[in-house]
Amino acid sequence: MDIDKLFTKSDLIPAIVTDTDGVVLMMAYMNKESLTKTIETRQTWFFSRSRNELWNKGATSGHIQEVAEIYSDCDDDTLLVKVKQTGSACHTGEYSCFFNKVI
């Protein structure tokens, strides 16, 4: 796949991360460099908007995400990243970042 087409609308693209069972773990942003590194290393790399830098999920915590598959949506403006999660995905220690029930 030509990844350049994913970044025609914006320099950043949302990446929804699920485990291989389909549990939604987190959402983060990727730029072209982080997606390229993710594809090359088979570990997730994201772009931190607050720090304005790349970050490798699990590099400091050991809670790595081994990439199984990556899909783009029908508009090529969102990614679905399926991973084998080691440990927790959330910085709070929860397995998923989505644990605060709204309704």
Side-chain angles (χ1 to χ4, degrees):
M1 172 184 219
D2 175 19
I3 67 169
D4 289 336
K5 73 178 186 172
L6 299 171
F7 298 95
T8 58
K9 298 175 188 173
S10 176
D11 290 339
L12 295 177
I13 187 169
I16 301 164
V17 181
T18 70
D19 66 15
T20 53
D21 292 327
V23 175
V24 178
L25 300 175
M26 58 182 284
M27 194 289 291
Y29 290 93
M30 289 185 166
N31 63 7
K32 194 182 301 184
E33 183 181 4
S34 66
L35 178 56
T36 299
K37 287 179 81 75
T38 296
I39 292 168
E40 289 172 354
T41 65
R42 301 293 287 213
Q43 290 188 3
T44 53
W45 285 82
F46 301 104
F47 183 81
S48 170
R49 296 179 301 162
S50 60
R51 295 188 313 267
N52 198 34
E53 66 183 14
L54 295 182
W55 60 282
N56 174 223
K57 179 66 178 157
T60 56
S61 68
H63 297 179
I64 63 168
Q65 294 175 335
E66 182 183 330
V67 176
E69 299 173 302
I70 302 175
Y71 295 88
S72 64
D73 72 342
C74 56
D75 295 323
D76 287 329
D77 61 6
T78 304
L79 294 173
L80 174 61
V81 183
K82 295 184 177 188
V83 301
K84 178 182 175 192
Q85 178 68 48
T86 299
S88 57
C90 187
H91 72 280
T92 65
E94 294 289 331
Y95 182 68
S96 168
C97 292
F98 295 94
F99 59 88
N100 292 314
K101 187 173 181 177
V102 176
I103 58 171

